[in-house]
Amino acid sequence: MTAHPPTLRHREPTAQAGGSGWRSLIPQALMGSSLMRNGYALIANSGLSAVLGLAFWFLAARYCSQEAIGLGGAITATIVNLSNAAQLNFGNLLVRFVPTVGGRAGRLILFAYATSFIASVVVAIVFLLVVGAFMPKLDVLTESAGVILWFVATVAVWSVFALQDSALSGLRQSIWVPVSKTIYQVVKIAMLIPLALAGLGWEAIALSWTAPVLVFVLAVNLLIFKRLVPKAQAGTGHANLIDRRAMARFFGWDYIGSVSMMVAWTATPLVVLNFVGAAESASFFVAWTIFTSLYYVGSSMGLSLLAEGASDTGRLRALAADAAVMSVLPLLGLVALMLVFAHPIMSVFGAAYATEGAAILRVFTLASVVSAVLSIYLSIARTKGWMRSVAAAEVATLVIALGAGALLVRSEGPIGMAHAWLLAMLVVTFGVGALALVTSRRHSMHDWGLAVAASLKSLSAQFLPFGRNKGIAIPGDAELRPLLAKTGSSAASGWHALKSEHGPEGTDIVYLGDPVLDEAVRHAPVRSQGTYAVLRSARNPIAAAYLERLVDNLDLLHADTRLQALWPILPTRLSVTRIGGAVDCIEAMAPGTDGRALLRDASERQTGLEAAAKAVAILHGQTAAMRTIDDVWFHEWVERPAAKLAQLGGSTMLAAARRRAIERFVGQQRRYWLGRQVRLGWCHGDLWPQNLNFASGQGSATRLASLLEWGNARSNAPRGFDGCVLAVAMRMMTSSEPLGAAVADLLWTPEWRNDERQWLGIGSDGDDDWSGDGAAIRAMVGLVWLHQVSERARRPAHSGVGRLWIASNVDRVLRIVSTDGGAI
């Protein structure tokens, strides 16, 4: 039994996620993950906006007067700031809740638009009423009814313009954000020059900045409501209720935190300017501008994480680890560059800027790395609803950054504010880490560390050539001919090897059929190329033993008349060849749709799992008999695999601690099983989604079309073993976490969800339903885990068993057992 079964098991290989052409040049970690696509899209948007924004002001300096630039810049900044206040922090709310409300996403987006639009009108009118008293230079905004109407309408439309980016992020379609914003920036630049040449002053800047907004609001929201929202509704298949109480709680605390950060960002340069003056603060402002751009790397990935985590909370830990790795690593690279090149970078703005600005920039670059980690935490907290923690973290950042900054600027100069921001980020980040360590269960931080390590390993596999699984050679027609002749089929003589893959237990799999010469379909899935059979080859003792068990088990099952109902879903063997210890087995291509594809679909998952549970219930129910668990059974099922586990090297635990944990685990299993009256019968043994093929029956019902990989089937399994294997596998699939994480969670909290119990109880007569008994769940889950990891330990060379795998799947569980977290 394999804890991480091979990607192909007697079925049609899936197409490569990276695709062909230019897409193949981009690592699958980036192309295949919506988290990464959306996160880097938002980062790209920030970078492109910054570059094109500089280009706009560069051209404005060429074609407009200084007075026009000053007044136009003040007016556009006022529009943006008033809009930010009037958006009422609906941006974060849309990103958090749009993924969860299904068919009501459009209604929630419209509500946010309407509320912010009305608030913007009110805020803009109030501002115009008091602008003369506080900002007399902006009196031009009240000179005519036309200007007043333009200003109020622009602030209101700008709020929708900003919120539509959050709507796109909540719909997990952030790729449209840099597209729309880049086109807007280009149009803005294109309008500036003719307006300036027409003799307009501040109006040239204000109109070029704001006139295209209405067009882009209409265009982007046409995309949102005509294409993206219906697509999201079709994906969910239903309209979820809007939890107004949860939204209100989220809105209130998040607004407090967001206002705090807004104040901190706005006040920081003003504090420096107030204490050191304009000339001395110039280098700080340049470094501060670069820091804000770097800050958006972490915050953009955090927004993507918030949307992805809200749509699939079960994968939050894996998603957060990926987000942390993919945002922190680039920033660490920038830190290394800034340590060397900060002085030349600041020298671009002038020699005076480099003298003190280089040191400030280095400090801010370090702060950006810490801020990225903090952004990931805040996204996790927002997803889980820890809104007081979010508000506390952001208020604390404000207090520490400005409080320490005001003190340090007096003694150190402008660099003191950079030190204050680094201090604030470190204190808050380590503070929330310590709080999580205290309030969470003992090994939670250890689990997060393993998730990050797994993400790093996955990322390195995308970029580094070593450590990847190498393919196997496709056999030629001359090698196949003797094997095909033994099938007894005249059609088989014309088959060719189409593709080869690694199979379970060190076997090789070769797909056989008629090749297609048409280039248009050459890269289509194997089955569409005329695949009729699968050749399994074993060239080492472990692989040969697996194939022999597979053949023997299928022979026994086909000979058992009690299992006639299952015969149609068993693989059809065409031939077996044994030569000098090597084994070759040819099977007909199994029908049906790959279980991994169907079971990932939430709308099909429950019916598919029930179909699989019915099949294994027949398998076990028709062959089971009541037995008393004795020493022979216990030695076979527990002591012998535990002995293999004890011999596994590369552990992160001390040898003595690991030995004691294994002994405690065996003792717990002994206390539960030994002497117990249990129905023992046949089990499949490897009931993973990839070993299930489904087909649609009459109407819309889903049925099990074929059940593959019988090499680890047993005739004396307790009832529920197969169901437990599938339940653990499904938790791994839906969380994207390894076996050890799923098992650890079940040992800590031995409860199945209601949807799991619905199909786990199939075939039970009531008296033997173990799925509601905490002790039985711990015992069965422990038994499944033991057989998974012991089989991997038996053949580490073929299973990719390394220190990370051991730490994630063996030591993680043994640590829980050693603290009685998995006590039975």
Side-chain angles (χ1 to χ4, degrees):
M1 204 178 301
T2 55
H4 294 283
T7 56
L8 283 177
R9 286 199 170 188
H10 191 180
R11 67 202 53 240
E12 167 187 345
T14 55
Q16 293 294 326
S20 58
W22 65 270
R23 292 175 180 267
S24 63
L25 302 176
I26 303 177
Q28 185 178 346
L30 304 184
M31 284 298 296
S33 167
S34 59
L35 171 72
M36 298 304 152
R37 285 198 307 271
N38 293 323
Y40 280 116
L42 295 174
I43 293 171
N45 176 64
S46 300
L48 290 170
S49 296
V51 172
L52 294 173
L54 289 174
F56 176 88
W57 290 111
F58 175 79
L59 292 173
R62 294 284 303 273
Y63 292 97
C64 300
S65 65
Q66 289 185 341
E67 182 181 358
I69 293 175
L71 187 55
I75 291 173
T76 55
T78 300
I79 291 172
V80 173
N81 289 330
L82 291 178
S83 172
N84 288 338
Q87 289 168 36
L88 303 175
N89 208 41
F90 272 111
N92 282 341
L93 187 139
L94 288 178
V95 177
R96 169 60 181 85
F97 288 101
V98 163
T100 68
V101 296
R104 297 178 182 265
R107 183 182 300 183
L108 179 59
I109 294 171
L110 286 175
F111 174 78
Y113 284 175
T115 306
S116 297
F117 189 94
I118 296 171
S120 298
V121 171
V122 174
V123 169
I125 292 174
V126 171
F127 175 81
L128 291 176
L129 292 175
V130 301
V131 66
F134 295 97
M135 299 179 182
K137 291 185 179 181
L138 295 182
D139 278 346
V140 294
L141 296 175
T142 59
E143 287 180 349
S144 68
V147 174
I148 292 174
L149 182 61
W150 164 81
F151 181 79
V152 174
T154 299
V155 173
V157 174
W158 192 277
S159 294
V160 178
F161 184 62
L163 287 177
Q164 69 188 20
D165 293 349
S166 298
L168 289 168
S169 296
L171 292 166
R172 301 161 69 195
Q173 296 291 337
S174 296
I175 191 68
W176 292 104
V177 176
V179 173
S180 62
K181 283 297 191 290
T182 299
I183 298 175
Y184 160 75
Q185 294 278 4
V186 171
V187 172
K188 180 176 73 174
I189 293 172
M191 290 183 63
L192 172 66
I193 298 176
L195 290 174
L197 293 177
L200 297 178
W202 65 268
E203 296 92 341
I205 293 174
L207 288 177
S208 63
W209 193 288
T210 60
V213 169
L214 181 59
V215 175
F216 280 89
V217 165
L218 294 175
V220 172
N221 282 284
L222 186 65
L223 170 70
I224 289 175
F225 288 99
K226 289 294 185 181
R227 179 179 174 182
L228 301 183
V229 168
K231 182 179 178 181
Q233 292 174 347
T236 57
H238 61 281
N240 297 331
L241 295 176
I242 295 177
D243 190 343
R244 292 179 175 83
R245 181 175 298 179
M247 288 186 182
R249 186 168 57 250
F250 180 96
F251 178 87
W253 288 107
D254 198 52
Y255 189 72
I256 293 172
S258 296
V259 169
S260 300
M261 291 304 297
M262 188 184 303
V263 171
W265 289 111
T266 304
T268 291
L270 298 179
V271 171
V272 176
L273 178 65
N274 181 64
F275 282 109
V276 303
E280 290 78 2
S281 63
S283 59
F284 175 86
F285 293 150
V286 173
W288 174 255
T289 302
I290 297 175
F291 169 58
T292 55
S293 299
L294 297 178
Y295 174 82
Y296 281 119
V297 174
S299 63
S300 297
M301 194 62 73
L303 278 178
S304 180
L305 171 62
L306 180 58
E308 295 294 324
S311 65
D312 192 354
T313 55
R315 298 180 60 228
L316 182 59
R317 185 157 53 195
L319 289 170
D322 288 342
V325 168
M326 297 301 284
S327 58
V328 170
L329 280 182
L331 289 173
L332 287 174
L334 286 174
V335 168
L337 291 174
M338 289 301 176
L339 291 176
V340 179
F341 297 109
H343 195 279
I345 291 173
M346 295 299 292
S347 297
V348 172
F349 301 93
Y353 288 86
T355 303
E356 186 176 7
I360 297 174
L361 182 57
R362 291 188 182 101
V363 176
F364 273 142
T365 308
L366 289 172
S368 70
V369 177
V370 187
S371 73
V373 177
L374 182 58
S375 294
I376 300 303
Y377 168 78
L378 293 177
S379 295
I380 296 171
R382 287 185 172 102
T383 303
K384 288 183 170 291
W386 304 338
M387 299 314 300
R388 289 187 179 89
S389 178
V390 171
E394 294 184 325
V395 170
T397 301
L398 164 69
V399 173
I400 298 173
L402 295 186
L407 296 174
L408 294 175
V409 168
R410 293 179 178 179
S411 59
E412 300 179 6
I415 197 174
M417 184 58 78
H419 287 149
W421 269 91
L422 178 59
L423 175 66
M425 293 294 181
L426 287 171
V427 170
V428 175
T429 302
F430 279 103
V432 296
L435 180 65
L437 186 63
V438 171
T439 58
S440 300
R441 68 189 191 197
R442 178 174 176 178
H443 297 294
S444 62
M445 296 300 291
H446 180 263
D447 293 349
W448 279 100
L450 291 174
V452 171
S455 180
L456 284 169
K457 182 179 180 180
S458 176
L459 176 65
S460 65
Q462 299 291 324
F463 292 94
L464 301 178
F466 52 84
R468 299 180 182 175
N469 289 329
K470 297 181 180 180
I472 58 176
I474 298 178
D477 290 346
E479 297 177 74
L480 289 176
R481 197 170 295 114
L483 301 176
L484 296 176
K486 294 192 176 184
T487 62
S489 170
S490 58
S493 60
W495 292 347
H496 306 273
L498 302 178
K499 188 173 182 179
S500 59
E501 298 283 350
H502 290 291
E505 304 276 357
T507 60
D508 295 333
I509 294 177
V510 180
Y511 294 87
L512 305 174
D514 297 329
V516 175
L517 301 179
D518 186 358
E519 286 295 331
V521 295
R522 184 176 293 278
H523 299 291
V526 169
R527 187 173 297 168
S528 65
Q529 299 180 20
T531 303
Y532 302 112
V534 173
L535 166 65
R536 300 170 176 275
S537 298
R539 296 294 182 268
N540 63 72
I542 294 177
Y546 174 81
L547 279 187
E548 293 289 6
R549 293 198 308 271
L550 184 147
V551 170
D552 291 342
N553 288 336
L554 286 175
D555 286 342
L556 290 172
L557 295 173
H558 277 294
D560 194 334
T561 56
R562 295 172 298 177
L563 300 176
Q564 290 186 30
L566 294 183
W567 289 352
I569 67 173
L570 299 180
T572 301
R573 186 171 68 253
L574 303 179
S575 68
V576 178
T577 304
R578 302 175 177 88
I579 301 176
V583 181
D584 294 290
C585 176
I586 299 179
E587 296 177 354
M589 191 69 185
T593 301
D594 190 329
R596 288 168 295 186
L598 183 133
L599 295 178
R600 285 189 186 279
D601 186 346
S603 63
E604 299 280 355
R605 183 178 301 153
Q606 196 67 14
T607 55
L609 292 172
E610 289 176 0
K614 289 177 183 177
V616 295
I618 293 174
L619 173 67
H620 189 275
Q622 293 296 319
T623 59
M626 190 65 70
R627 296 286 187 271
T628 300
I629 299 298
D630 55 16
D631 289 328
V632 175
W633 185 96
F634 189 78
H635 177 74
E636 175 190 345
W637 277 82
V638 178
E639 291 179 334
R640 187 165 62 189
K644 298 176 188 175
L645 197 61
Q647 299 169 5
L648 184 63
S651 173
T652 58
M653 297 177 67
L654 295 176
R658 188 156 174 255
R659 185 178 62 255
R660 288 194 299 269
I662 294 175
E663 291 173 352
R664 176 172 294 189
F665 174 82
V666 172
Q668 291 171 353
Q669 291 285 323
R670 179 181 290 108
R671 285 192 295 274
Y672 180 83
W673 291 108
L674 208 58
R676 184 176 293 269
Q677 292 284 322
V678 177
R679 290 180 61 84
L680 301 180
W682 273 96
C683 74
H684 175 272
D686 262 341
L687 204 67
W688 291 82
Q690 53 265 51
N691 294 332
L692 304 171
N693 276 5
F694 293 96
S696 296
Q698 296 180 352
S700 60
T702 299
R703 64 179 179 83
L704 188 64
S706 50
L707 184 52
L708 313 173
E709 301 299 348
W710 290 85
N712 288 317
R714 293 169 179 246
S715 61
N716 62 342
R719 202 199 76 78
F721 183 82
D722 274 338
C724 190
V725 172
L726 184 57
V728 171
M730 287 304 303
R731 289 200 174 196
M732 292 169 60
M733 174 187 284
T734 55
S735 67
S736 296
E737 292 201 284
L739 171 73
V743 171
D745 288 341
L746 285 166
L747 292 182
W748 273 105
T749 309
E751 295 177 356
W752 299 111
R753 299 187 304 268
N754 289 335
D755 61 305
E756 293 171 325
R757 292 192 63 180
Q758 286 179 11
W759 59 269
L760 281 171
I762 290 177
S764 170
D765 59 7
D767 295 334
D768 62 346
D769 185 5
W770 61 277
S771 60
D773 183 346
I777 293 173
R778 280 197 172 105
M780 192 70 74
V781 169
L783 202 63
V784 167
W785 166 80
L786 178 63
H787 283 264
Q788 295 287 320
V789 295
S790 65
E791 286 298 321
R792 289 288 291 267
R794 185 172 61 87
R795 44 188 177 80
H798 302 282
S799 307
V801 173
R803 293 184 65 86
L804 178 58
W805 185 90
I806 295 171
S808 300
N809 297 289
V810 180
D811 295 347
R812 174 182 288 185
V813 175
L814 290 178
R815 283 191 169 92
I816 291 177
V817 172
S818 65
T819 57
D820 282 334
I824 299 174

